[in-house]
Amino acid sequence: MVIDCHGHYTTAPKALEDWRNAQVANLNTPELGPRVSDLNISDDELRESIETNQLRLMRERGSDLTIFSPRASFMAHHIGDRETSATWAAICNELCYRVSQLFPDHFIGAAMLPQSPGVDPRTCIPELERCVKEYGMVGINLNPDPSGGHWTSPPLSDRHWYPIYEKMVEYDIPAMIHVSTSCNPCFHTTGAHYLNADTTAFMQCLTSDLFKDFPTLKFLIPHGGGAVPYHWGRFRGLAQEMKKPLLQDHLLNNIFFDTCVYHQPGIDLLTKVIPTKNVLFASEMIGAVRGIDPETGHYYDDTKRYIQAAALSDEDRFQIFEGNARSVFARLDAALKQKGL
C-alpha cells in the first residue's frame, strides 16, 4: 500500500468557511450565532469535494490511503477563546470523520485539538477521546504555538503538555507537530512559520529528556523536518556539547519525519541523512504548494515520484510507503488488519 500520512481537508465545501467567518465576526456577540446546527453540508457535497480533488489525485498518482485531518491553516487556535476552538474543532473533526465513512478504503481520520493560548491542554482531552473512541481516528495534530506565531506556550518538553502525552500513550496514537496560521507578519504561514515550527519542535526535544518520561511517545515532524535533515551535523554537534546521547538513541525511537519535500534533491538528502525507519510517505496534497514545477513538468507535491527515483532499495521503499506508517500509527495498522490488509 501507499499510505499518505499527511492529508488535510483543504477542499471542504465553502459552507464551512462561511460558518467560520460568521463565528469570527461574532466573537464578541456569540448570541448572534452561528449555531452548530446552522451548518448544513450534505454527503453529496462531501463526496464531490473529495472525488474531484484528493481522491482524483490519489488515483492519478497511485496512493491508496490518506490520514486525513482538518485544514491546518484553518485551525487558527489564536482566534477567540477555548469555547471558540472547542466548537470549531468539533465541527472540523466531524467532517473528516464523515469523509472517512464515505470513503473508508481511502481515508482515515486524525484529530484537530481545541487548543487556545494560555489554556490548560487538559481541556483538549474530551475531544481527543471522542475522536479516538467514537470516530476511530488514529492520530492527532498538536500545535506547539496556539498563539499563531508569537510562541507564548512553553516548549513541548514542559510538563504543561504532559496531560496530552499521557493520553497519547494510553491510546497509542502519535501526534503530528503542526502549527496553524501565522498572525505575525514576520513569518509567512507556509513558507516560514511551518518550517520554523518543525525545526523548533525538534530542538525542544533535543534539549530535553522528554522521552525518558514517555519512552513510547511518538511525534511526526512534517515537511521533511524543516531544517533538521539539512543541518543534521549541527544537531549532532549540539547534542554532543550538551552531553546528550547519540541522536539515534536520544530521539529517533520517538521522532519521525514525513516526505512533504517538494523537489528531488530534498528527498535525496532526507533519505540519505535520516534512517529509513524514521521516514513516512506524505504529500500534503492539496496543500501549500499546488503548482507544476517547470523544471520537471510534474506537480511539486507529487512526492511519490521522488521516492521512486531516490537511491533506495525495494525494502526501503516499502517501509517509507507503508511499513513505517503502520508502525507509527498503531491504530491504523489495527484498522487495516481488521480489513485483512
Side-chain angles (χ1 to χ4, degrees):
M1 295 182 69
V2 176
I3 300 172
D4 188 332
C5 72
H6 189 169
H8 298 301
Y9 198 1
T10 56
T11 62
K14 190 175 182 299
L16 179 66
E17 182 177 2
D18 292 342
W19 190 96
R20 174 62 162 176
N21 288 341
Q23 184 193 38
V24 173
N26 291 328
L27 287 176
N28 296 322
T29 53
E31 66 276 6
L32 299 180
R35 297 167 299 178
V36 173
S37 59
D38 292 336
L39 179 63
N40 295 298
I41 299 176
S42 68
D43 284 355
D44 285 344
E45 290 176 289
L46 294 181
R47 288 190 188 94
E48 182 180 7
S49 73
I50 294 295
E51 288 175 342
T52 59
N53 293 293
Q54 282 90 350
L55 189 55
R56 173 180 60 83
L57 292 175
M58 288 170 65
R59 287 167 172 159
E60 289 177 3
R61 299 177 187 182
S63 63
D64 300 301
L65 176 68
T66 296
I67 298 175
F68 204 54
S69 63
R71 184 175 179 177
S73 63
F74 267 29
M75 294 191 299
H77 294 118
H78 61 279
I79 292 176
D81 57 15
R82 183 181 69 83
E83 188 61 34
T84 307
S85 287
T87 303
W88 180 232
I91 285 173
C92 292
N93 286 331
E94 183 184 22
L95 285 181
C96 288
Y97 168 67
R98 288 174 61 192
V99 168
S100 73
Q101 295 300 106
L102 292 170
F103 303 96
D105 294 333
H106 298 291
F107 296 91
I108 194 165
M112 162 187 170
L113 298 181
Q115 297 175 246
S116 187
V119 175
D120 191 329
R122 286 182 179 85
T123 60
C124 296
I125 289 175
E127 181 66 14
L128 186 158
E129 291 183 326
R130 184 169 70 96
C131 288
V132 171
K133 294 178 179 179
E134 297 180 22
Y135 292 168
M137 291 188 172
V138 298
I140 60 172
N141 290 343
L142 180 64
N143 184 351
D145 174 37
S147 70
H150 295 289
W151 291 92
T152 58
S153 294
L156 290 170
S157 55
D158 193 271
R159 298 188 70 86
H160 169 84
W161 302 100
Y162 277 27
I164 299 293
Y165 301 160
E166 289 164 0
K167 282 296 172 183
M168 288 171 58
V169 169
E170 178 184 345
Y171 291 132
D172 200 5
I173 55 172
M176 178 174 283
I177 306 300
H178 206 310
V179 289
S180 186
T181 297
S182 169
C183 57
N184 183 336
C186 294
F187 304 119
H188 182 275
T189 294
T190 55
H193 186 43
Y194 282 15
L195 305 182
N196 293 344
D198 303 333
T199 309
T200 298
F202 183 85
M203 194 64 196
Q204 289 177 357
C205 294
L206 187 153
T207 56
S208 75
D209 294 313
L210 173 63
F211 300 122
K212 287 185 178 179
D213 286 349
F214 295 97
T216 61
L217 190 68
K218 294 184 178 70
F219 287 162
L220 179 59
I221 299 183
H223 319 115
V228 173
Y230 187 65
H231 288 286
W232 194 244
R234 175 180 290 257
F235 293 114
R236 287 176 54 232
L238 288 169
Q240 183 174 314
E241 290 180 13
M242 295 175 194
K243 310 300 182 185
K244 297 294 184 183
L246 296 175
L247 291 186
Q248 60 261 36
D249 301 319
H250 184 44
L251 299 180
L252 292 187
N253 293 316
N254 307 88
I255 290 180
F256 304 85
F257 306 88
D258 77 14
T259 64
C260 291
V261 179
Y262 295 145
H263 68 154
Q264 190 67 50
I267 289 291
D268 292 342
L269 174 73
L270 174 68
T271 55
K272 183 176 181 179
V273 171
I274 302 300
T276 298
K277 73 179 183 68
N278 293 87
V279 179
L280 280 66
F281 175 72
S283 69
E284 201 180 1
M285 67 168 192
I286 300 168
V289 183
R290 305 185 183 192
I292 293 175
D293 185 344
E295 295 182 5
T296 66
H298 300 294
Y299 285 94
Y300 287 101
D301 62 2
D302 187 358
T303 53
K304 184 182 177 186
R305 291 179 179 274
Y306 309 141
I307 302 301
Q308 290 172 322
L312 296 166
S313 68
D314 289 343
E315 175 59 24
D316 287 343
R317 285 193 185 85
F318 165 77
Q319 290 299 328
I320 291 171
F321 281 139
E322 177 181 354
N324 294 339
R326 296 181 74 139
S327 176
V328 173
F329 291 86
R331 287 179 173 266
L332 168 66
D333 184 55
L336 293 173
K337 285 176 177 174
Q338 281 189 337
K339 295 181 178 182
L341 300 172

